[in-house]
């Protein structure tokens, strides 16, 4: 048994982010799955843990609850600083947060499961409508992200320099979700290159959705 409990779902990109961070930090944790498509995250037992009914949720050994993937990852980075997921200099930290939030705040929120489900139930969207919606918002975010990464001297093998960090975690998780909707990455060579570098790392591989106990 570990002192850390991660409530998550194998296919959730936000859960994937936190799993990557935990693997990068070398931290063991108890994996508690909640099948989002079966509504398990809305059952009373889980709502008693996380009233928001979302994943991921991290429960510490003293019972403290942390939600929201970026907040969880930054907490882990502060408590377990090696390897660092954010640069030491203020401008570098701001840049990495900017890149991460372009994905985590601008792309993911309009493309997560509850939004896609609402498009179906409230507006009668069909499968192709959902796919078009998802691709549209990814492209809206990836077009400027590609330009920023391709033109910045601070971009290295990874989003910022030569070590994977917070922005790379968000990028890799998003691209994994993209694959389910057939998003064309041809217009984004820099993003594609960085993602390949990420997926060569053991932490990203071990945390990948297909390698989780609840994978289908």
């Amino acid at each position: 048994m570990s002192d850390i409990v991660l409530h998550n779902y194998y296919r959730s990109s936000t859960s994937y982010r936190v799993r990557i961070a935990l693997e990068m930090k070398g931290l063991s944790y108890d994996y508690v799955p909640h099948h989002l498509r079966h509504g398990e995250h809305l059952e009373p037992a889980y709502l008693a843990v996380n009233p928001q009914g979302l994943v991921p949720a991290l429960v510490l050994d003293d019972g403290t609850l942390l939600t929201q993937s970026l907040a969880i990852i930054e907490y882990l980075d502060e408590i377990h600083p090696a390897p660092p997921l954010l640069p030491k200099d203020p401008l570098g930290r701001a840049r990495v947060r900017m890149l991460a939030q372009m994905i985590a705040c601008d792309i993911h929120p309009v493309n997560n499961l509850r939004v896609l489900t609402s498009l179906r139930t409230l507006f009668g969207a069909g499968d192709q409508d959902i796919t078009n919606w998802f691709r549209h918002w990814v492209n809206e975010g990836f077009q400027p992200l590609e330009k920023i990464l391709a033109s910045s001297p601070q971009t290295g093998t990874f989003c910022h320099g030569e070590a994977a960090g917070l922005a790379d975690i968000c990028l890799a998780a998003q691209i994994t979700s993209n694959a389910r909707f057939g998003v064309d990455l041809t217009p984004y060579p820099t993003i594609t290159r960085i993602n390949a570098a990420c997926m060569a790392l053991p932490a990203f591989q071990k945390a990948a959705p297909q390698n989780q106990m609840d994978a289908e």
Side-chain angles (χ1 to χ4, degrees):
M1 295 291 288
S2 169
D3 292 336
I4 300 175
V5 177
L6 178 65
H7 296 267
N8 73 137
Y9 175 51
Y10 81 101
R11 205 162 68 173
S12 157
S13 64
T14 51
S15 296
Y16 186 16
R17 294 174 198 162
V18 174
R19 293 196 304 264
I20 295 170
L22 287 165
E23 295 296 340
M24 290 182 71
K25 298 294 184 180
L27 299 174
S28 61
Y29 60 95
D30 290 332
Y31 186 111
V32 179
H34 300 274
H35 200 301
L36 301 190
R37 292 187 176 275
H38 294 169
E40 293 177 1
H41 58 303
L42 300 177
E43 293 179 355
Y46 183 57
L47 291 176
V49 174
N50 178 12
Q52 197 174 16
L54 299 176
V55 294
L58 194 72
V59 180
L60 306 181
D61 58 352
D62 63 356
T64 298
L65 169 71
L66 295 176
T67 68
Q68 301 299 323
S69 63
L70 296 190
I72 293 171
I73 292 170
E74 290 215 31
Y75 166 79
L76 294 174
D77 200 40
E78 292 175 1
I79 299 300
H80 303 279
L85 302 180
L86 286 163
K88 292 182 179 180
D89 64 293
L91 278 178
R93 293 169 76 86
R95 180 177 182 270
V96 168
R97 287 188 175 114
M98 172 190 74
L99 297 172
Q101 290 173 22
M102 287 178 70
I103 298 167
C105 299
D106 292 340
I107 297 175
H108 173 264
V110 294
N111 275 349
N112 64 27
L113 179 60
R114 63 177 179 171
V115 170
L116 300 183
T117 299
S118 293
L119 290 173
R120 293 183 187 276
T121 58
L122 297 178
F123 304 105
D127 289 345
Q128 190 58 53
D129 298 317
I130 297 297
T131 296
N132 291 341
W133 172 280
F134 190 99
R135 292 174 179 174
H136 170 77
W137 291 113
V138 169
N139 289 321
E140 283 288 305
F142 270 23
Q143 288 169 9
L145 181 62
E146 172 70 22
K147 291 178 181 178
I148 291 171
L149 290 171
S151 64
S152 174
Q154 294 173 303
T155 302
T157 301
F158 298 96
C159 288
H160 192 86
E162 298 306 310
L166 178 62
D168 306 281
I169 288 172
C170 292
L171 182 65
Q174 181 61 52
I175 290 179
T176 297
S177 292
N178 290 356
R180 300 202 312 271
F181 293 88
V183 176
D184 181 14
L185 295 180
T186 304
Y188 313 118
T190 308
I191 287 175
T192 300
R193 174 184 63 74
I194 292 171
N195 181 65
C198 290
M199 298 312 300
L201 299 176
F204 286 74
Q205 297 169 7
K206 188 173 181 180
Q210 67 271 18
N211 295 325
Q212 307 314 303
M213 65 171 67
D214 54 333
E216 297 175 330

